[in-house]
């Protein structure tokens, strides 16, 4: 019940295209859903996060879509750039209790020039 | 405002030795989390600490692993009698106290890459 399932495992997109990464969770107690970006040899960097009181959040080229009834959320990267090539992790937690993050398995995104 | 700091960045140990990993949270943050990332895998929670208290250690192996976050100084993750399977990247994250607008957001350090020979 603590799992977060992420897909696809890898994704190749052309420059200017849209990258879409999907996650599904099981624990209905989760109330905080962040996305992290990780470059090789670096720590994960918080990209964008959403709470279940909204269905969508946009920050620049990055958008999170959230479907509470389906227990799914996704990251959309518009106008993908080669500099976006990295590993992306979705995560979930029970924010109100300051608890641990449960991470998805990660998606390795490659944006070709 | 400096981010989360971890040291050493790389650590090589032989089997049976001890590994000590240090984490200094962001200024003003009172919550520290440790995660482990095996090669080509996602991050797995190990332990959550507040100053002088272990809040949740459910992800940490019962043997050989321990963590502390003293009143003064960095948080320490200690691995005794390391084995090859302990080779991984260990990340520390910190978050601010409850009640603020960034409550729940965890900010990660650069990690310590442990190699056990």
């Amino acid at each position: 019940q603590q799992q977060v399932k992420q897909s696809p495992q890898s994704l190749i997109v052309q420059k200017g295209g849209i990258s879409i990464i999907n996650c599904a969770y099981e624990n209905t107690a989760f109330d905080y859903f962040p996305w992290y970006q990780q470059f090789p040899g670096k720590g994960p960097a918080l990209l964008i996060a959403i709470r279940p009181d909204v269905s969508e959040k946009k920050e620049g080229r990055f958008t999170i879509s959230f479907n509470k009834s389906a227990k799914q959320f996704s990251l959309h990267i518009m106008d993908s750039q080669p500099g976006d090539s990295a590993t992306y992790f979705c995560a979930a937690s029970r924010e109100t209790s300051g608890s641990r993050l449960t991470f998805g398995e990660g998606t390795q995104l490659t944006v070709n020039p | 405002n400096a981010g989360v700091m971890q040291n050493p960045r790389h650590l090589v140990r032989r089997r049976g030795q001890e590994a000590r990993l240090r984490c200094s949270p962001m200024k003003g943050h009172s919550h520290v989390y440790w995660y482990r990332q095996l090669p080509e895998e996602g991050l797995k929670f190990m332990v959550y600490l507040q100053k002088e208290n272990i809040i949740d250690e459910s992800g940490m192996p019962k043997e050989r692993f321990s963590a502390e976050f003293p009143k003064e100084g960095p948080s320490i993750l200690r691995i005794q009698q390391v084995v090859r399977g302990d080779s991984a990247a260990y990340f520390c994250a910190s978050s601010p106290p409850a009640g603020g607008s960034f409550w729940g957001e965890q900010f990660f350090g650069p990690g310590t890459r442990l190699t056990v020979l």
Side-chain angles (χ1 to χ4, degrees):
Chain A
Q1 191 166 15
Q2 291 295 323
Q3 287 186 319
V4 175
K5 294 289 190 182
Q6 183 172 347
S7 63
Q9 188 174 4
S10 62
L11 180 62
I12 300 175
V13 174
Q14 291 299 119
K15 179 181 176 181
I18 302 174
S19 304
I20 301 175
I21 305 171
N22 301 298
C23 283
Y25 63 98
E26 299 173 354
N27 188 346
T28 54
F30 287 148
D31 55 10
Y32 174 68
F33 303 90
W35 285 88
Y36 284 84
Q37 179 189 58
Q38 185 179 31
F39 292 103
K42 305 293 185 182
L46 181 61
L47 197 59
I48 187 173
I50 198 167
R51 295 170 177 83
D53 53 342
V54 296
S55 60
E56 185 175 283
K57 182 175 181 179
K58 183 176 181 179
E59 290 184 2
R61 295 184 295 109
F62 301 92
T63 300
I64 298 179
S65 297
F66 183 79
N67 185 331
K68 188 175 181 178
S69 61
K71 293 187 287 186
Q72 295 176 346
F73 58 110
S74 61
L75 176 69
H76 295 231
I77 306 174
M78 313 299 287
D79 187 26
S80 299
Q81 300 296 312
D84 297 331
S85 297
T87 300
Y88 293 80
F89 293 96
C90 63
S93 75
R94 297 179 59 185
E95 180 190 23
T96 52
S97 64
S99 67
R100 60 169 136 180
L101 289 168
T102 299
F103 281 87
E105 299 90 346
T107 296
Q108 188 161 354
L109 172 66
T110 302
V111 181
N112 289 327
Chain B
N1 187 12
V4 177
M5 300 178 68
Q6 290 187 250
N7 66 80
R9 295 292 307 278
H10 300 273
L11 183 61
V12 179
R13 285 288 179 265
R14 297 192 179 278
R15 282 180 296 170
Q17 292 184 319
E18 179 180 287
R20 280 187 180 233
L21 288 62
R22 297 175 190 78
C23 169
S24 296
M26 288 178 68
K27 186 177 180 180
H29 286 194
S30 55
H31 301 254
V32 166
Y33 308 79
W34 286 93
Y35 294 84
R36 177 165 64 178
Q37 185 175 35
L38 294 170
E40 308 300 324
E41 291 189 14
L43 292 94
K44 304 295 184 187
F45 167 80
M46 298 182 73
V47 62
Y48 163 36
L49 310 101
Q50 295 179 21
K51 283 286 188 181
E52 300 184 280
N53 285 303
I54 296 175
I55 307 301
D56 180 0
E57 58 181 346
S58 59
M60 196 158 66
K62 293 288 188 287
E63 298 181 356
R64 302 188 299 108
F65 287 74
S66 63
E68 62 177 7
F69 188 16
K71 185 177 180 180
E72 301 291 338
S75 176
I76 305 287
L77 179 67
R78 183 183 178 201
I79 311 173
Q80 296 179 290
Q81 300 176 333
V82 296
V83 300
R84 288 213 174 109
D86 296 333
S87 295
Y90 292 82
F91 291 98
C92 167
S94 72
S95 67
S101 59
F102 295 101
W103 167 233
E105 293 187 356
Q106 294 183 25
F107 299 87
F108 282 77
T112 294
R113 278 139 187 94
L114 173 65
T115 302
V116 179
L117 302 177

